[in-house]
């Protein structure tokens, strides 16, 4: 009996060690596979490209590092975004998007509303607060809290932008030589609203300024691009769109069904953003909406954020992304194209945010003018933010 008890104790100890090891090592292992950067030699960057890159205000409409269990104040050895690497890439403005619900498989073609939600597992195994395990709203609040903690830990390196004045302060400090990054909080899909308009008030109070309507699932607001049904806005979705348009918020139609995009464009008279995508005539995939709709978004004074991954570019090398940007300019014009990496969004890329000078070099070699590159890199984004943020 004593021997049995001894073996049982050893088994329980081994089980506890295994469980602890799982919580310590599994999240990083999973992210390394999800957000891989292809091995490569350093990209050559011409002196002209480097000088141009270092002189620009650069902004990115979409990245998801808040989903993962990394300290963004420190340089990571995996993943694609953190504050030191943003500084290396000369990024002035980064939208940090909260992913709160995402289906197993990330299927671009169709996801059933009851498909398994990966974020439940991510929240559990990364030891997020228990309130996030069952509440989609709380997952968004927790990710906002994470960014605020990073800001508090390094206020000389990160400032969360909530107002137009905050934006101008960041730009002024950067012009004076500081390497501070301006962070903007966004939700990827309106799932955290949980069907309650009062949650929009709470998300806005928590610092969120970019509101995307859908992600991979249909939700209370309307249909996703990744469904066979192509559902439009619901009554609740129309209520949310109207409220976003009235407030100092940015409206994002990334991942929305083509019918939702049409419904939104018929409703509002504000610059609309599609934060991370590609151009269908350049890369004919389900993830890219038709060029005609892209032109309608551009006509609002809005912008298309061009992504860096294979499913939207059909070639995710720096040259391939530059080709996608050039194609976008040909479709919607140079005033309607921005950057929208989708870094750390479960995408594989060929460069991380510290290597953005390679993209500037590729755009120059693709034949874009310096003025066009400045617009794409950040000027178009700044125009939309200045139009939408309040003082």
């Amino acid at each position: 009996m004593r021997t049995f008890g001894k073996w049982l104790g050893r088994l329980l100890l081994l089980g506890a060690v295994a469980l602890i090891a799982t919580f310590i090592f599994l999240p990083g292992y999973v992210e390394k596979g999800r957000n891989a950067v292809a091995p490569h030699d350093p990209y050559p960057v011409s002196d002209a490209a480097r000088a141009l890159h270092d002189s620009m205000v650069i902004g990115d409409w979409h990245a998801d590092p808040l989903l993962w269990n990394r300290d963004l104040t420190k340089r990571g050895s995996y993943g694609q975004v953190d504050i030191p690497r943003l500084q290396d890439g000369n990024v002035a403005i980064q939208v940090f998007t909260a992913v709160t619900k995402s289906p197993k498989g990330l299927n671009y073609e169709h996801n059933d509303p009851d498909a398994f939600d990966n974020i439940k597992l991510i929240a559990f195994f990364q030891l997020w607060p228990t309130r996030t395990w069952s509440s989609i709203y709380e997952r968004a609040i927790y990710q906002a809290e994470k960014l605020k903690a990073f800001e508090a830990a390094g206020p000389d390196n990160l400032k969360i932008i909530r107002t137009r004045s905050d934006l101008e302060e960041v730009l002024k400090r950067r012009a004076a030589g500081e390497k501070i990054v301006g962070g903007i909080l966004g939700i990827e899909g309106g799932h955290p609203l949980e069907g309650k308009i009062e949650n929009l008030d709470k998300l806005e109070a928590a610092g969120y300024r970019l509101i995307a309507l859908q992600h991979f699932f249909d939700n209370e607001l309307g249909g996703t691009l990744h469904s066979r049904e192509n559902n439009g806005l619901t009554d609740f979705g129309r209520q949310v769109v109207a409220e976003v348009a009235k407030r100092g918020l940015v409206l994002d139609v990334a991942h929305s069904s083509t019918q939702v995009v049409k419904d939104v464009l018929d409703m509002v008279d504000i610059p609309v953003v599609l934060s991370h995508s590609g151009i269908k005539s350049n890369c004919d995939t389900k993830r890219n909406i038709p060029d005609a709709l892209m032109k309608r978004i551009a006509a609002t004074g809005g912008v298309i954020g061009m992504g860096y991954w294979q499913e939207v570019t059909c070639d995710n090398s720096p040259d391939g992304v530059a080709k996608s940007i050039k194609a976008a300019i040909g479709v919607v014009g140079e005033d309607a194209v921005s950057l929208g990496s989708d870094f750390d969004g479960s995408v594989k890329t060929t460069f991380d945010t510290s290597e953005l000078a390679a993209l500037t070099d590729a755009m120059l070699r693709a034949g874009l003018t310096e003025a066009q590159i400045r617009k794409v890199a950040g000027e178009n984004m700044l125009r939309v933010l200045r139009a939408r943020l309040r003082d």
Side-chain angles (χ1 to χ4, degrees), residues 39-274:
H40 60 274
D41 293 329
Y43 292 108
V45 176
S46 70
D47 290 344
R50 174 60 66 183
L52 174 60
H53 188 83
D54 290 346
S55 71
M56 294 192 299
V57 174
I58 298 171
D60 179 356
W61 281 108
H62 191 96
D64 299 323
L66 295 176
L67 179 61
W68 308 102
N69 199 26
R70 282 187 283 123
D71 181 350
L72 299 186
T73 67
K74 298 177 181 178
R75 185 182 304 276
S77 59
Y78 58 90
Q80 296 151 347
V81 171
D82 51 50
I83 304 304
R85 283 186 280 179
L86 286 166
Q87 292 172 323
D88 287 350
N90 194 35
V91 177
I93 310 296
Q94 178 65 63
V95 176
F96 292 91
T97 318
V99 182
T100 55
K101 186 176 181 182
S102 184
K104 181 179 180 181
L106 297 177
N107 184 2
Y108 284 160
E109 298 300 322
H110 180 74
N111 296 285
D112 292 318
D114 59 353
F116 183 79
D117 175 16
N118 281 333
I119 310 304
K120 289 182 179 179
L121 281 182
I122 289 174
F124 176 74
F125 280 106
Q126 292 190 152
L127 297 177
W128 287 14
T130 54
R131 60 189 163 94
T132 67
W133 297 359
S134 58
S135 170
I136 297 175
Y137 164 77
E138 290 292 351
R139 294 173 195 170
I141 295 300
Y142 177 62
Q143 290 180 68
E145 291 169 353
K146 288 175 70 174
L147 193 64
K148 291 173 188 175
F150 297 142
E151 179 187 43
D156 293 335
N157 297 312
L158 174 67
K159 179 177 176 60
I160 298 175
I161 293 172
R162 299 171 177 84
T163 66
R164 191 183 302 125
S165 296
D166 290 339
L167 173 63
E168 299 304 336
E169 179 187 336
V170 167
L171 296 176
K172 183 178 179 180
R173 290 172 65 178
R174 289 184 64 86
E178 295 187 48
K179 298 188 72 174
I180 191 165
V181 174
I184 298 176
L185 279 163
I187 57 170
E188 182 153 33
H191 309 289
L193 296 172
E194 296 183 335
K196 303 172 184 176
I197 196 64
E198 57 267 30
N199 280 345
L200 183 61
D201 298 326
K202 296 175 183 177
L203 291 170
E204 185 178 5
Y208 283 95
R209 293 297 180 266
L210 180 141
I211 307 296
L213 304 177
Q214 277 78 37
H215 195 204
F216 277 91
F217 296 95
D218 282 8
N219 59 15
E220 296 94 341
L221 290 82
T224 175
L225 182 62
H226 315 293
S227 171
R228 301 185 189 98
E229 287 76 22
N230 193 31
N231 292 317
L233 284 174
T234 63
D235 289 343
F236 179 66
R238 291 179 181 277
Q239 183 183 10
V240 171
V241 168
E243 282 298 314
V244 169
K246 283 183 357 185
R247 307 181 187 201
L249 304 173
V250 178
L251 182 61
D252 181 8
V253 293
H255 289 288
S256 292
S257 71
T258 56
Q259 188 57 54
V260 164
V261 177
K262 293 174 184 176
D263 291 346
V264 166
L265 294 174
D266 287 342
M267 278 187 64
V268 302
D269 185 22
I270 61 171
V272 173
V273 169
L274 200 164

Side-chain angles (χ1 to χ4, degrees), residues 234-371:
T234 63
D235 289 343
F236 179 66
R238 291 179 181 277
Q239 183 183 10
V240 171
V241 168
E243 282 298 314
V244 169
K246 283 183 357 185
R247 307 181 187 201
L249 304 173
V250 178
L251 182 61
D252 181 8
V253 293
H255 289 288
S256 292
S257 71
T258 56
Q259 188 57 54
V260 164
V261 177
K262 293 174 184 176
D263 291 346
V264 166
L265 294 174
D266 287 342
M267 278 187 64
V268 302
D269 185 22
I270 61 171
V272 173
V273 169
L274 200 164
S275 63
H276 56 302
S277 185
I279 293 295
K280 199 169 188 68
S281 56
N282 177 68
C283 182
D284 188 5
T285 67
K286 172 77 171 180
R287 182 63 179 77
N288 294 334
I289 67 174
D291 288 10
L293 267 184
M294 291 292 203
K295 291 177 182 178
R296 287 192 62 190
I297 293 170
T300 69
V303 291
I304 316 301
M306 303 305 294
Y308 303 166
W309 75 104
Q310 187 74 18
E311 287 80 4
V312 296
T313 61
C314 291
D315 174 0
N316 64 350
S317 68
D319 286 333
V321 178
K323 178 175 177 285
S324 181
I325 290 169
K326 186 174 183 178
I329 290 173
V331 171
V332 299
E334 63 189 44
D335 294 325
V337 184
S338 284
L339 302 178
S341 65
D342 203 18
F343 278 146
D344 288 331
S346 294
V347 296
K348 296 179 180 179
T349 64
T350 64
F351 55 95
D352 70 15
T353 196
S354 70
E355 302 174 285
L356 280 181
L359 179 56
T360 300
D361 186 89
M363 286 191 283
L364 274 176
R365 288 186 286 102
L368 274 66
T369 67
E370 288 194 7

